[in-house]
Amino acid sequence: MWSRGVKYYSRSWAGKLRDASGRWILDSIANNAAAHYLHNMFFVTGKSKYISAVPKTVQAELYRANDIENFDTVAARIFTDDNTEMMFFASHAHAAEGKILKFCYEFTEGTIYYSDERGNISFEARLKNGSVIRYNNPSLDSYSKFCRFIEQVGNNEPVSCGPEAAYSHILCVNGMQESMPGIVTFPDNLIKREKLSDGDEVIFVEGLENTLTECYELWKLPSEKGIAWAKAGKEINLTGYSFFPAQTL
């Protein structure tokens, strides 16, 4: 949950499906602000730091509260090429200032939890043998990855998370868009407006934070929970996918 105000969407390309020339943009929370969090699931579960896991199927539910072409809220179930199940929930239609970010990665020997609730960060692994590993804030040195990239190029080494590893993200985003080509607008009676401290205004959906949090904890999409405004997307098979859109949008 990471609110974005009206000013955020005032840029000419923000929230757009295409540009003025008809070229695809597909700007959304999954392809912009939260793109790194979506891709991180593929990267971490890849077989090396040069290869990400590849999405095999995706079923997405795409919604909007803001007056945009594309979606500001997404719920998706993804299976990778090794049958790892992933759930991804994200929304800009949130009233509170500051982000609420949660990860839960379940592995064979334990589970990793990360949370950032308005700057209050917790990051630890709880192993099945009862031990706990606590990690530092991964954002303390935001330029370290850039310096590492320069070093790798300078030493003629393979680049960590190069285009081959990043490919999984755009493949997944394409699948999301094809899963629900008609973006669902939240009901008018649930859409609210709130002034922010910087003078901007945020459009949000009443009760959305609780709904998505419950879905996240239960591993269910909103449509599977029977939420009144929810609509199920189609499951898209991404095996051999080579061109967007594979279907007519």
Side-chain angles (χ1 to χ4, degrees):
M1 307 298 298
W2 199 353
S3 63
R4 286 291 188 271
V6 173
K7 291 179 182 178
Y8 178 84
Y9 287 111
S10 65
R11 296 166 297 172
S12 61
W13 51 268
K16 295 285 190 179
L17 290 170
R18 300 173 183 264
D19 67 11
S21 300
R23 296 171 298 187
W24 292 111
I25 299 176
L26 302 184
D27 181 64
S28 71
I29 187 170
N31 210 15
N32 196 334
H36 313 288
Y37 309 135
L38 174 59
H39 177 257
N40 194 63
M41 295 192 291
F42 300 119
F43 183 62
V44 167
T45 55
K47 294 180 174 60
S48 79
K49 62 182 177 181
Y50 309 110
I51 302 173
S52 294
V54 178
K56 180 176 65 176
T57 64
V58 59
Q59 182 180 8
E61 300 181 13
L62 311 180
Y63 306 99
R64 64 182 165 219
N66 288 274
D67 185 17
I68 56 177
E69 293 179 1
N70 213 3
F71 58 94
D72 56 33
T73 301
V74 55
R77 173 179 284 111
I78 305 149
F79 283 93
T80 68
D81 51 359
D82 63 358
N83 289 320
T84 298
E85 183 180 8
M86 300 175 175
M87 299 292 286
F88 179 72
F89 302 90
S91 180
H92 284 325
H94 183 230
E97 296 188 51
K99 62 183 175 184
I100 299 175
L101 175 63
K102 295 182 180 181
F103 295 165
C104 176
Y105 285 25
E106 299 178 3
F107 295 103
T108 305
E109 300 300 326
T111 302
I112 295 177
Y113 298 92
Y114 177 87
S115 68
D116 178 355
E117 299 199 33
R118 301 180 181 90
N120 184 19
I121 295 174
S122 173
F123 190 13
E124 64 182 23
R126 302 174 195 170
L127 306 186
K128 291 187 176 179
N129 64 12
S131 61
V132 176
I133 303 171
R134 291 184 172 85
Y135 302 103
N136 293 324
N137 181 350
S139 300
L140 283 178
D141 184 1
S142 59
Y143 290 100
S144 61
K145 61 182 178 181
F146 182 62
C147 294
R148 177 61 180 147
F149 169 75
I150 294 175
E151 180 183 343
Q152 288 173 325
V153 172
N155 294 335
N156 199 29
E157 300 174 6
V159 175
S160 304
C161 196
E164 296 83 2
Y167 161 77
S168 293
H169 170 262
I170 192 62
L171 178 62
C172 185
V173 167
N174 286 173
M176 286 178 173
Q177 298 278 179
E178 300 218 31
S179 178
M180 185 172 279
I183 312 302
V184 175
T185 302
F186 288 107
D188 288 342
N189 65 308
L190 295 181
I191 298 177
K192 310 295 180 182
R193 306 177 81 95
E194 181 179 290
K195 288 288 185 182
L196 301 179
S197 58
D198 62 0
D200 200 359
E201 185 178 40
V202 66
I203 297 173
F204 68 97
V205 176
E206 189 174 44
L208 184 61
E209 179 183 340
N210 290 338
T211 297
L212 292 187
T213 299
E214 186 174 357
C215 288
Y216 164 82
E217 292 172 347
L218 294 174
W219 283 71
K220 289 184 178 292
L221 298 173
S223 65
E224 295 169 340
K225 278 277 295 164
I227 307 300
W229 44 258
K231 179 181 178 181
K234 296 177 292 185
E235 183 178 271
I236 301 298
N237 188 336
L238 296 171
T239 303
Y241 189 99
S242 61
F243 184 83
F244 179 83
Q247 304 179 42
T248 302
L249 294 188

